[in-house]
Amino acid sequence: GRTGAVRRLTAVLRPGTGRFTLNLAAGDMARDAVRNAVLAVERLGLSLGERDAAFNIEGGGNVDGPSMGLAAALVLLSALQERPLRQDVAVTGEIALDGAVLPVGGLLQKRVAAREAGFRRILQPRDGGYLPRDCVGVTTLQEAAEAAFADG
C-alpha cells in the first residue's frame, strides 16, 4: 500500500546568478517541482536576481512525484521576503508555472503522516472533495501563502 511521508524542506539564499540547487538524491521529479516553484514565485514579482537558492530535503532520498512543489514555492517566498512560515503546517500540492495549485495523489496517506508528525494544519489542493477540519484547501500560491505565513 501507499504511505505518506513527512520531509522538511528548507531554502537559503546566497550571492549568485539566479540559479537553484537541490539535493542530487531528490531526483528529477523533485527538481522539476522546484523549477516550477521558482517560476511561479517569479510570476508574483519576486526574483532571485543576483542570488542563488539552495533547497534541501532533510534526510535526503528520492522524491517520487510533484507533491513538494507548493512547499518549495512557500519556502522560497519565505526566504525572499524574510518572513517565517508557520511551523505547525504541513504542505502538499503540485505548483503550476502560473501559481495554480494542482491536485496530487495519496492525500489520505499524507494527512495521516502529517498528523502523526504533530502538524496541526495541512495545506493541500482544493479539489472539491472532502476537506477535514484540520485541512485548508488552496487553489493558488497566493492563497497558500496567506495560510502559511506566521504573520498571516
Side-chain angles (χ1 to χ4, degrees), residues 28-103:
D28 291 338
M29 300 238 4
R31 260 184 295 292
D32 289 345
V34 170
R35 184 178 307 108
N36 285 0
V38 170
L39 294 171
V41 167
E42 285 179 352
R43 289 200 45 133
L44 293 179
L46 296 168
S47 171
L48 288 173
E50 294 184 7
R51 296 169 290 191
D52 288 344
F55 290 84
N56 181 53
I57 301 170
E58 292 182 8
N62 193 316
V63 175
D64 182 25
S67 299
M68 68 169 279
L70 179 57
L74 290 171
V75 298
L76 180 57
L77 275 175
S78 175
L80 287 168
Q81 295 179 333
E82 297 181 1
R83 292 172 64 198
L85 291 166
R86 292 176 53 139
Q87 296 301 297
D88 63 343
V89 176
V91 178
T92 189
E94 180 176 357
I95 192 81
L97 298 177
D98 65 358
V101 178
L102 306 175

Side-chain angles (χ1 to χ4, degrees), residues 120-152:
R120 297 184 331 153
R121 178 185 254 180
I122 303 164
L123 295 185
Q124 68 171 63
R126 184 182 312 132
D127 62 3
Y130 173 70
L131 198 62
R133 253 192 306 211
D134 60 346
C135 295
V136 177
V138 296
T139 59
T140 66
L141 175 54
Q142 192 67 40
E143 283 180 10
E146 290 170 12
F149 281 106
D151 59 3

